[in-house]
Structures are given as C-alpha cells and as structure tokens.
Amino acid sequence: MKGTHLGEFEELVLLAVCTTHPDTYGNTVKDEINQTAKRNINLSTAHGALARLEGKGFVKSYMGEATSVRGGKRKRIFEITAQGLKKLEEAKELRAKFWDKIPEKVLQTQYITT
C-alpha cells in the first residue's frame, strides 16, 4: 500500500463516498463534491482520487450490474473500508484539536483587508 497520508481533496472524496452510499460511483462523487463543497471538479479528477484511495486501502470497488439506462454498461461502485473510515475519523479529530486550541480572542477578531 502506497502512503497513508490523506490529503484535503481525498478527504472530500472519502466523505462523498460515505454520503452517497450505497450507489457510489465516479459521477455521484463528482456531483456531491460540486454541490456540497462548491468545487467544480470533472469526472477524471474524481476517478483519479478514487483510484489513489483504493491504492491506499481506504476504499474498495466492484462492478455493479448492467443497466438499460447506461446501454448495458456496468458501473464501478465504491465503498469506504474500515481503514478509510478510521482515517476520516482521525482527520476529524485532528481538525477538532486545532479548532479547540484557537483562542476565543482570535475567533472574535474581525479581519479587515486594506
């Protein structure tokens, strides 16, 4: 397995895999990120991230059933693994630790650009 670091975009993709379960494939991941994160990504970007996450053991995939809507073509369906869910939980905890360490004074500061 290649590296276990989880980048910011990979974290978004893993979250999208979870929120679109059980019918998660490249297009649903792309659409979820475009809608929820307001990031305009294309299908190849989603597929690339899914492939990296599968290589790291954070997701697994299998071929779904053929459908008439897709002209008999099958979709590659993705699911988060236990290792992937653990990595997401670790990322959430790390972010929470940083947020908890920010002094209230900083959180109340109004930033003015000149």
Side-chain angles (χ1 to χ4, degrees):
M1 173 175 38
K2 181 182 177 188
T4 58
H5 174 74
L6 184 63
E8 183 263 346
F9 183 70
E10 291 175 331
E11 183 179 347
L12 287 179
V13 172
L14 269 183
L15 290 166
V17 168
C18 292
T19 59
T20 59
H21 180 78
D23 192 28
T24 302
Y25 59 102
N27 268 321
T28 58
V29 169
K30 174 187 71 81
D31 292 345
E32 182 70 12
I33 291 172
N34 288 347
Q35 292 170 1
T36 304
K38 305 295 186 228
R39 289 177 66 161
N40 189 22
I41 69 163
N42 59 39
L43 185 56
S44 63
T45 303
H47 279 285
L50 288 164
R52 286 192 309 276
L53 290 167
E54 190 164 25
K56 293 178 180 184
F58 297 154
V59 297
K60 62 182 178 180
S61 69
Y62 61 93
M63 294 306 291
E65 297 299 318
T67 63
S68 59
V69 174
R70 293 176 44 86
K73 292 173 67 178
R74 298 166 64 189
K75 295 186 254 186
R76 180 165 295 282
I77 306 296
F78 292 88
E79 295 178 345
I80 193 163
T81 63
Q83 185 179 358
L85 189 56
K86 181 179 179 193
K87 187 58 82 170
L88 267 183
E89 289 170 346
E90 289 170 359
K92 181 181 177 183
E93 290 171 8
L94 178 61
R95 290 178 189 274
K97 284 179 185 178
F98 274 102
W99 275 103
D100 291 345
K101 291 177 86 172
I102 298 173
E104 190 64 32
K105 184 177 177 180
V106 172
L107 295 174
Q108 294 175 354
T109 301
Q110 295 293 322
Y111 293 97
I112 301 172
T113 57
T114 56

